[in-house]
Amino acid sequence: MTKLTPETIAQHGIKPDEYQVILDRLGRAPNLLELGIFSVMWSEHCSYKSSRIHLSKFPTSGPAVIQGPGENAGVIDIGDGQAAIFKMESHNHPSFIEPYQGAATGVGGIMRDVFTMGARPVALANAIRFGEPENANTKRLLAGVVSGIGGYGNCVGVPTVCGETNFDKSYNGNILVNAMCVGLAETDKIFYSRGAKIGSPIVYFGSKTGRDGIHGATMASADFDEGSEEKRPTVQVGDPFMEKLLIEATLELMQTDCIEAIQDMGAAGLTSSSVEMAGKEGLGIVLKMNDVPVRETHMTSYEMMLSESQERMLAILKPGEEHIAQAIMEKWDLDYAVIGYTTDTGRLVLEFDGEIVCDIPIGPLSEDAPKYDRPWVKTPPQPNVTSAELGDIDVGQALLKLLSCPDIASKRWVWEQYDRHVMADTLAASDKPFDAALVRVHGTNKALAITTDCTPRYVLNDPYEGGKQIVAESYRNIICTGAKPIAITDNLNFGNPEKPETMGQIVGAIEGMAEACRVLEYPVVSGNVSLYNETMGQAILPTPVVGGVGLIGDYHNAIGYGGIVDGDLVFLIGETTDNLGATLALRELYGRGDGAPPHVDLALEKRTAELVSALISQKHIKACHDLSNGGFALGLAKICVASNIGIDAQLPENVPTTAALFAETQARYLVVISPDNFDGFNAAVAQSGLLLHEIGAAGGANLVIADVITISVSAMRTAYENWLPEFMG
C-alpha cells in the first residue's frame, strides 16, 4: 500500500487531528480509497460537523409534520391523505466555477431529494445572489446560472414559480445558488433512506458513473482561492431528460412494494448513499465495484465511490425482487445493476478486481462522524439609526432610486426564462403580484403557498434579530395570500466557521430563527448548511435563507396585492417606528450599512398575522402586501404598479417623514378594501386591538403621499422594470 503523505491528506480536507481520529478508529493507516471516503463523509457539506450541535435548537415537530430533518426531505400532512415534501439545498461553489452546470445540477439534485421520498415534484423555487453589478464577472455568472436553472427545470417539466435575486459586493467571489423543490405524495406511500434489513440486495439505477464531480463535497466545504477555476472537474454535468426518465421509473418502482430503503446519489455519490442507508440501521454493506455501471474506461474504485455523476439512485430491495426493478428500468431505458448486499458487520467492504480494496467501519462515517463545538463570539450590538441623524433628501427621487436598485428592480428578465406554468397547476408565480407563489394540489381546491426569503444585511448587524426576521417575513408572505404557514426548510450560507466571528453569526442566526419558529409554530422540517463561502479570506454576508410552505384550503379565496380599482380604500395595520438601521434606504440613499436592524416582536407578529388571516378568510380585504424592504413608500409603489392605478395616501402618524416612508418596522401590512366592506373590516380590526391607519384611496395616475411625494405610475413602472434588462444588455 502506498504511504499517504501529509500533502495528500491535506488535499483531501482532512486536518491532522482528524487524521489521528481515523488512525484510532481503524487501528491502522487508511489506503487512498479509504481516505477519500472519510474525506467526503467528514466534509462540512455531508457531516455538518460545525453546525450539528446548534441545528438541534430548531423546533422540528408539529401537528402537520410527518417527517422532520434527518431524511432526504421534510414531509408535512396537507389533509385528505396527501403530503407535501420539500427541501432546499445549495450549489454555490459549483455554480461559481461553472455557472450553467452548477445551477442546473443543483436543480436536478434537489428534485431527486424529493422524488426519492415518493413525491412527484410540482414546483421549484430558488434564492440566488451575485456580486455587485460593477464586478466584471457578475453579468456572466447571472446569465449562466439563470440559464442553468431554466434549462434543467424547463426540460424536466417542473415549473419554477418563485425566488429572489440579489446583489452585493460580498458575493463577488462566491455567488450563492440555493434551489428548493416541493413535491406531492400520498401519506401512506412515503419512502425513506432507513428501513434496510440484513441480506438484502443493493441495486443501482439511472445514469452511468463518470469522472465528473469527484470531490465535489470536499470542494464545497473549502474556501475559494486563486486556483478555484482549476476545480472545474469537480462540477457535475446534468442531463434533465435522463432526470425525467428517472422520476417516472422511480415512482413506478415505488408502486411495487419492492423497496426497503432508497437514496439518491447526491453529494459524495455512491459513498454517501450507501453509507447513510446502512448507517441508519446499524448494518454493513458489501459493494462489488466491477458491477457499477460506468461510462468511462479504466475507472478506479476511488473514482467510482467519489464521483458525483448525476441522475443516479441507489435502493435496497426486498430479497428476490430484483427482477421486478430490472424490468422497470429496462422499460425506461435506464442502467440497472445489482452491485452489493447488506450485512450484519457494520462495515463498508468494497471488492474490486478480485481484491478487498476497502474495509472500514460505517459508524465513524455516519452517526459517529466528528462534531465540533467551535469557539464563537457574539456580534456586538449596534444602536438605532434615527431620522434625525440623516440629512434631507428628495424623497420622490429617493423612491424612484429604490425601485430601480438591483435588489428591488423587477426580475422579469430572470423569471421569463423559467417555465412557470408547465403542469397547469400554477396559480400565481413570479409574474403575478403575490407575496408567495401558489400551486394547486392537482384535482383539488387546495393550493400550496411557497416563498423564499432572507435579509442578509440584518443578519450581519444582528444575527439574532436578523434570524427572527427571516422567519417572520416568510410567515407574513404566506399569510398575505390567505394561506396558513405550516413549515420551513432552510439553507444556511455562511463563511468560515473556524473564525469565531463567523461562528457567532451562525449561532446567533440559528437561535433567532429557532425562537421565531417556536413562537409562530412554524417548524423546520429539512435544510442544508453551506459554510466556507469565502474567497481569499473575504466572507459573504451571512445569508440564512428560508423556504416557507403554507396551505390554503380553497384557492378561490387567495388574494395578492394587485387588482385594486378606483375608490378602493388603503389601510396600514401596525405601528411604524423611527429606526432606519440596516435598511435598504440607509444603504441606497445614504451609503451606510450600519445600525440595529428592526426589532421583531414575535408575539405581535403572530397576533397581526392572525388578524390578517381572519380578514382574508372573512373576505373583508381584497389585496394585501407585507412591508419589508423599502418600507411604506415602496409597498405603496408596488401596489400602484401592480394595478396600474395611483393612490392618494397620507403618512402614518406620529413618526418623522423619512422613517414613515422608508423604515422597515416589522409586523406591518398594507391592506386594500372595497368601501362596501368598511364596517365589517373596521369592527374586526378594532376587536383585535391592533393599530390601524387609514392611508387613503386608489385613483388617478399618480402615487401621492401627503405633500412630500407625487410620482406617476408610469414613471415608477419604468424605474422598476428597466434596470435589469439594461444591465444585461
Side-chain angles (χ1 to χ4, degrees), residues 422-607:
V422 65
M423 302 182 81
D425 281 317
T426 304
L427 303 172
S430 304
D431 54 341
K432 301 288 186 183
F434 279 70
D435 281 9
L438 291 173
V439 178
R440 176 171 48 213
V441 178
H442 193 76
T444 76
N445 283 342
K446 297 185 295 189
L448 298 175
I450 304 164
T451 181
T452 59
D453 299 282
C454 185
T455 313
R457 61 183 187 272
Y458 290 179
V459 185
L460 178 68
N461 289 13
D462 187 331
Y464 181 75
E465 286 295 330
K468 290 185 338 186
Q469 190 274 339
I470 295 163
V471 175
E473 184 174 352
S474 172
Y475 196 87
R476 290 197 303 270
N477 283 334
I478 290 173
I479 287 288
C480 283
T481 68
K484 177 186 177 184
I486 298 179
I488 69 170
T489 183
D490 62 55
N491 204 131
L492 309 181
N493 307 274
F494 291 88
N496 185 343
E498 297 169 51
K499 297 178 178 178
E501 293 78 13
T502 298
M503 197 66 220
Q505 294 173 344
I506 297 169
V507 174
I510 288 174
E511 291 180 347
M513 293 170 68
E515 179 64 13
C517 288
R518 278 191 292 272
V519 175
L520 299 176
E521 300 176 272
Y522 197 30
V524 180
V525 296
S526 61
N528 173 245
V529 174
S530 175
L531 306 182
Y532 296 94
N533 288 289
E534 295 194 1
T535 299
M536 306 299 290
Q538 296 299 306
I540 62 164
L541 289 175
T543 312
V545 179
V546 161
V549 175
L551 177 70
I552 186 167
D554 186 348
Y555 64 79
H556 297 97
N557 297 329
I559 65 172
Y561 58 85
I564 69 173
V565 298
D566 191 21
D568 282 345
L569 303 178
V570 184
F571 294 84
L572 171 64
I573 299 175
E575 181 179 5
T576 304
T577 59
D578 187 7
N579 175 30
L580 289 123
T583 60
L584 187 75
L586 190 67
R587 187 187 77 187
E588 295 294 325
L589 307 178
Y590 297 94
R592 293 172 52 176
D594 60 313
H599 171 66
V600 182
D601 182 333
L602 292 168
L604 181 62
E605 286 281 2
K606 192 170 185 182
R607 283 178 58 209

Side-chain angles (χ1 to χ4, degrees), residues 349-366:
V349 177
L350 307 180
E351 299 177 2
F352 186 58
D353 288 348
E355 297 181 5
I356 294 176
V357 294
C358 170
D359 186 352
I360 54 179
I362 287 176
L365 298 173
S366 56

Side-chain angles (χ1 to χ4, degrees), residues 82 89 242 261 297 389 424 547 561:
Q82 295 173 309
E89 279 209 345
M242 181 65 74
T297 58
E389 299 176 43
Y561 58 85

